[in-house]
Amino acid sequence: MNHSIEIKDLKLAFGAVTVLEDLNLQVGQGEFLVLLGSSGCGKSTLLNCIAGLLDVTDGEIHIQGHNVTWEEPSKRGIGMVFQSYALYPQMTVEGNLAFGLKNARVPKDEIAKRITRAAEVLQIEPLLKRKPGALSGGQRQRVAIGRALVRDVDVFLFDEPLSNLDAKLRADLRVEIKRLHHTLKNTMIYVTHDQVEAMTLADRIAIMKGGQIMQLAPPAEIYNRPVNKYVAGFIGSPAMNLIEGDMDAGSLQFETGRGMAFSVQGYEFGSSPTSGRVWLGLRPEHVHSGTLAQTQPVQLDAYVDMVEPMGSDTQVWAKIGEQELRFRMDGQAKVDIGDTVPIGFDPARLSMFDKKSEMRL
Amino acid sequence: MTAVTPRGAKPKKVFSPRNIMLYGALVVFSLYYLLPLYVMIVTSLKDMAEIRVGNIFSAPVEITFQPWVKAWSEACTGINCDGLSRGFWNSIRILIPSLILSVSVAALTGYVLACWRFKGSEIFFGILLLGAFIPYQVLLYPLVIILREMGLFGSLWGLVLVHTVFAMPINVLLFRNYFVALPEELFKAARVDGAGFWGIFFRIVIPMSLPIFVVSGIIQVTGIWNDFLFGVVYTRPENYPMTVQLNNIVNSVQGVKEYNVNMAATLLTGLVPLAVYFFSGRLFVRGIAAGAVKG
């Protein structure tokens, strides 16, 4: 039993509309997997299939080595946390935590023991006698996590658990969830559309689009070596510069035809380079300016079009020839619209995608 | 020391033209509805001699409760002369099972249509709603035959069944729309927690749905209590509900028209729905509003 969760050739269709198709996924023991994608990509649908809240059309789902494709949600050994918390409003916090255990006919003293333990871990002991209506958003989500916790299961499923919270609380609870995972070492599958949550929490991220997994890899790899143009544009804030141009395989020269040309010597091609039309991806934070620019293999002059000072750093919208480029400068740097700034970057940090297939070269 | 001066907007005048119009209209409409009630009450407290004087708006000179006593326990309805009391208990015996059965079946049907959709459930719901637009009279005779074949014609349970069936369209609509508005994730959470069809219904849905049960209950109590048509068609005289007996008292063509007894009998018959509104009106409004906003 190597995998905690194994999904084989999963297919889900509502009538003529296919939502998920031929989806294969393996999640390791104790792994924190994040399903990331924009709305409508099928990430929540996939989670609901794993939970058993949606009947699949075809394929198999195994949890801890058991084929649970047609099991009831409660019999799958999962706990689930929802975006809207989904606490039972007429029950106290204690009642909410006990509800699933009572249904499973767990003995009373065992229920009490588990509630005490979960309340301790989540620091919700003073809230046990209150009703959900009397709790704040953060407290409610803690109780919702507690409800999954008391079930004593191997797999936790999170469906956008932090989306309803304000920014500050979200950051706090994010850290708490990470700490919880570190303590419990459960397998966790976490659905979100927030790339910061994905990057900070995940052992591996699965980026989904149109019911398919585009890339499944650790956060660093997703960031550094996006497998296609979609992933490249999706991950990173501000978004990666994607520049269209021609690649010459012999000279390794990249040329936009709009006044921007340089050698990509040092770029790690996946296979031997071929000539043709490409998308070239350059992250704003990988462009250096000032004295650091002079140490970079590629050096260019950028004409500053627009400046957005953020305090910690400054976003610069610039033009190289006719080619627009966005990059980041130090927050203390003195730069104005109309300046010409020397910039430089390392081709090893670039990403290149075939124009047609949009796959990484 | 400075004087404390009032701050904020000037208080609005009580006798502004707007208020005069508003409350004037309200008073007129209240009188419009309350006047007949007043006439009924004073008439029921007069004896026949005083009524014949003809001042229907004047208060009774000599208050007598004799008409009420007569309406309740002495007036003749057909062959029996024991007043409305027999009809009252018949109505209670019809009301309680009909109320329980119709509200529970409607709630359950609404729950299935809202939360456990099956293939064709929307069409089923559409057909059910269509039932609300069919005039009762059209169905009277077919129902007589159905009840006869079932061996229920003339019995109390036959009438209970008829009340339950006719309650379905409007009450299922109420319950379904209320349940649809409950957050979907609650049902998912309950399923993960191992609650099944009945567990979710009894432990999650019902505790969250008191207002709509009150609304449905009130609609049913009034509807069943005020029913005349089904009561007279589907039961035998010994089971006639209060409304049918009231009709027999008021519309009797023999003897003197005892207006005071008629008024007392009518008021007695209307007491139950009145009491229900009186005690649960607030919940009723809340339930209707909840359904309206989210339905």
Side-chain angles (χ1 to χ4, degrees):
Chain A
M1 195 172 74
N2 301 321
H3 301 301
S4 174
I5 298 172
E6 195 166 7
I7 294 166
K8 296 176 185 164
D9 300 324
L10 189 74
K11 186 184 169 185
L12 181 81
F14 297 114
V17 186
T18 305
V19 186
L20 301 173
E21 193 153 27
D22 292 332
L23 201 138
N24 287 284
L25 180 66
Q26 279 121 25
V27 187
Q29 292 291 346
E31 185 176 357
F32 200 124
L33 178 80
V34 172
L35 302 177
L36 177 66
S38 47
S39 54
C41 71
K43 56 192 193 301
S44 280
T45 312
L46 174 59
L47 196 75
N48 278 318
C49 286
I50 297 172
L53 296 166
L54 282 173
D55 286 340
V56 303
T57 313
D58 204 7
E60 285 181 11
I61 298 168
H62 296 254
I63 295 179
Q64 301 295 0
H66 301 290
N67 185 348
V68 296
T69 315
W70 300 105
E71 282 285 4
E72 273 297 302
S74 53
K75 301 256 159 60
R76 295 188 174 205
I78 52 142
M80 192 156 175
V81 179
F82 296 91
Q83 178 178 358
S84 67
Y85 326 126
L87 299 179
Y88 314 123
Q90 72 278 10
M91 299 180 198
T92 60
V93 167
E94 201 170 9
N96 267 280
L97 296 178
F99 185 64
L101 302 178
K102 279 187 194 157
N103 285 329
R105 310 214 184 290
V106 176
K108 264 205 175 121
D109 48 339
E110 172 70 16
I111 294 180
K113 215 191 296 168
R114 288 204 210 167
I115 289 178
T116 314
R117 203 189 52 203
E120 207 179 278
V121 172
L122 296 164
Q123 295 163 3
I124 50 172
E125 292 122 314
L127 311 177
L128 283 178
K129 299 289 175 209
R130 287 206 218 159
K131 294 230 171 127
L135 304 181
S136 70
Q139 289 170 330
R140 282 182 209 184
Q141 199 50 290
R142 248 177 255 244
V143 175
I145 295 171
R147 197 166 53 181
L149 208 62
V150 290
R151 290 175 58 78
D152 242 352
V153 287
D154 306 305
V155 178
F156 277 19
L157 306 176
F158 292 89
D159 193 356
E160 309 214 16
L162 306 182
S163 302
N164 280 10
L165 301 172
D166 63 56
K168 167 107 178 54
L169 256 175
R170 204 180 305 164
D172 292 348
L173 261 175
R174 199 173 66 210
V175 176
E176 246 174 86
I177 290 177
K178 189 159 190 175
R179 195 169 288 141
L180 194 69
H181 178 243
H182 194 74
T183 326
L184 300 173
K185 300 194 163 50
N186 288 39
T187 307
M188 292 188 178
I189 300 186
Y190 187 107
V191 165
T192 182
H193 60 261
D194 183 324
Q195 51 168 306
V196 178
E197 281 173 29
M199 295 297 282
T200 51
L201 289 170
D203 291 327
R204 281 195 302 164
I205 299 175
I207 297 206
M208 293 187 66
K209 188 197 176 195
Q212 286 177 324
I213 294 177
M214 301 259 105
Q215 186 170 11
L216 175 60
E221 192 179 330
I222 295 234
Y223 177 79
N224 289 319
R225 298 180 60 82
V227 75
N228 60 24
K229 184 176 160 237
Y230 176 78
V231 175
F234 191 79
I235 288 285
S237 175
M240 184 187 262
N241 292 292
L242 284 163
I243 303 162
E244 198 181 337
D246 284 308
M247 245 296 293
D248 185 70
S251 61
L252 292 180
Q253 195 71 21
F254 174 81
E255 160 75 63
T256 62
R258 310 178 69 192
M260 186 181 182
F262 54 88
S263 161
V264 295
Q265 188 86 46
Y267 178 77
E268 283 176 50
F269 282 93
S271 54
S272 56
T274 49
S275 301
R277 217 56 193 152
V278 296
W279 286 103
L280 183 127
L282 173 57
R283 292 201 183 278
E285 56 271 35
H286 292 161
V287 176
H288 298 285
S289 55
T291 48
L292 212 58
Q294 292 156 22
T295 64
Q296 299 297 315
V298 177
Q299 294 174 20
L300 299 163
D301 282 328
Y303 173 81
V304 177
D305 230 5
M306 178 55 75
V307 180
E308 290 181 307
M310 312 269 223
S312 61
D313 53 35
T314 300
Q315 306 290 338
V316 181
W317 302 70
K319 270 192 178 148
I320 295 164
E322 288 298 303
Q323 177 61 51
E324 285 188 3
L325 185 76
R326 200 172 167 189
F327 62 90
R328 206 187 66 182
M329 289 179 77
D330 187 83
Q332 308 305 319
K334 295 257 182 295
V335 61
D336 257 322
I337 297 172
D339 290 357
T340 301
V341 184
I343 57 163
F345 53 86
D346 184 354
R349 314 291 297 264
L350 292 173
S351 291
M352 249 191 281
F353 309 101
D354 183 69
K355 172 78 174 41
K356 236 204 206 116
S357 69
E358 301 195 343
M359 298 306 284
R360 189 180 183 86
L361 291 170
Chain B
M1 199 174 128
T2 52
V4 181
T5 51
R7 275 194 278 178
K10 205 165 95 180
K12 286 211 175 77
K13 265 196 219 148
V14 179
F15 290 103
S16 64
R18 191 175 163 275
N19 276 0
I20 293 172
M21 287 293 283
L22 179 68
Y23 287 98
L26 285 176
V27 166
V28 168
F29 285 125
S30 309
L31 285 179
Y32 184 79
Y33 281 96
L34 286 175
L35 213 57
L37 182 67
Y38 166 78
V39 170
M40 285 184 75
I41 292 173
V42 293
T43 309
S44 74
L45 297 174
K46 295 172 182 171
D47 62 17
M48 280 310 286
E50 203 182 327
I51 290 171
R52 285 197 197 94
V53 175
N55 298 326
I56 61 167
F57 292 111
S58 63
V61 178
E62 214 172 308
I63 290 178
T64 167
F65 291 98
Q66 187 52 36
W68 287 76
V69 175
K70 185 167 184 193
W72 177 251
S73 56
E74 290 160 21
C76 292
T77 62
I79 42 173
N80 302 305
C81 282
D82 46 9
L84 280 172
S85 57
R86 172 192 293 267
F88 175 80
W89 293 115
N90 280 346
S91 278
I92 293 280
R93 282 194 298 147
I94 294 164
L95 174 69
I96 288 173
S98 304
L99 177 68
I100 293 171
L101 202 63
S102 60
V103 171
S104 9
V105 174
L108 199 59
T109 314
Y111 169 59
V112 171
L113 290 177
C115 313
W116 300 83
R117 306 257 170 103
F118 50 90
K119 215 174 176 147
S121 60
E122 290 298 297
I123 297 170
F124 177 83
F125 182 55
I127 294 171
L128 194 69
L129 279 190
L130 216 61
F133 300 103
I134 298 174
Y136 291 173
Q137 288 78 354
V138 174
L139 298 168
L140 276 185
Y141 188 57
L143 265 173
V144 169
I145 298 171
I146 292 172
L147 288 179
R148 187 188 66 201
E149 295 304 312
M150 291 170 78
L152 287 172
F153 183 73
S155 72
L156 213 68
W157 286 105
L159 184 59
V160 168
L161 186 69
V162 171
H163 277 309
T164 306
V165 169
F166 277 95
M168 282 309 111
I170 182 72
N171 286 283
V172 169
L173 173 75
L174 278 178
F175 279 111
R176 178 197 170 271
N177 286 358
Y178 192 87
F179 294 157
V180 160
L182 297 177
E184 194 195 349
E185 288 194 336
L186 268 181
F187 298 98
K188 291 185 175 177
R191 284 185 65 196
V192 173
D193 270 340
F197 181 88
W198 296 106
I200 293 175
F201 185 56
F202 286 113
R203 309 276 301 280
I204 311 289
V205 172
I206 291 185
M208 290 177 73
S209 308
L210 177 69
I212 204 68
F213 273 91
V214 172
V215 170
S216 171
I218 291 176
I219 289 177
Q220 282 312 97
V221 170
T222 2
I224 295 165
W225 192 268
N226 290 340
D227 161 67
F228 175 80
L229 186 65
F230 298 147
V232 80
V233 173
Y234 297 115
T235 53
R236 298 206 170 86
E238 69 265 25
N239 284 333
Y240 275 166
M242 205 171 182
T243 45
V244 177
Q245 284 206 313
L246 173 67
N247 175 66
N248 290 353
I249 292 175
V250 175
N251 285 342
S252 71
V253 285
Q254 288 157 2
V256 188
K257 276 253 185 233
E258 292 181 293
Y259 294 107
N260 51 359
V261 175
N262 292 352
M263 297 294 177
T266 309
L267 285 169
L268 278 171
T269 311
L271 273 185
V272 168
L274 254 170
V276 168
Y277 275 119
F278 194 73
F279 289 115
S280 49
R282 217 163 52 89
L283 273 170
F284 182 74
V285 171
R286 209 198 301 166
I288 285 278
V293 174
K294 293 184 177 171

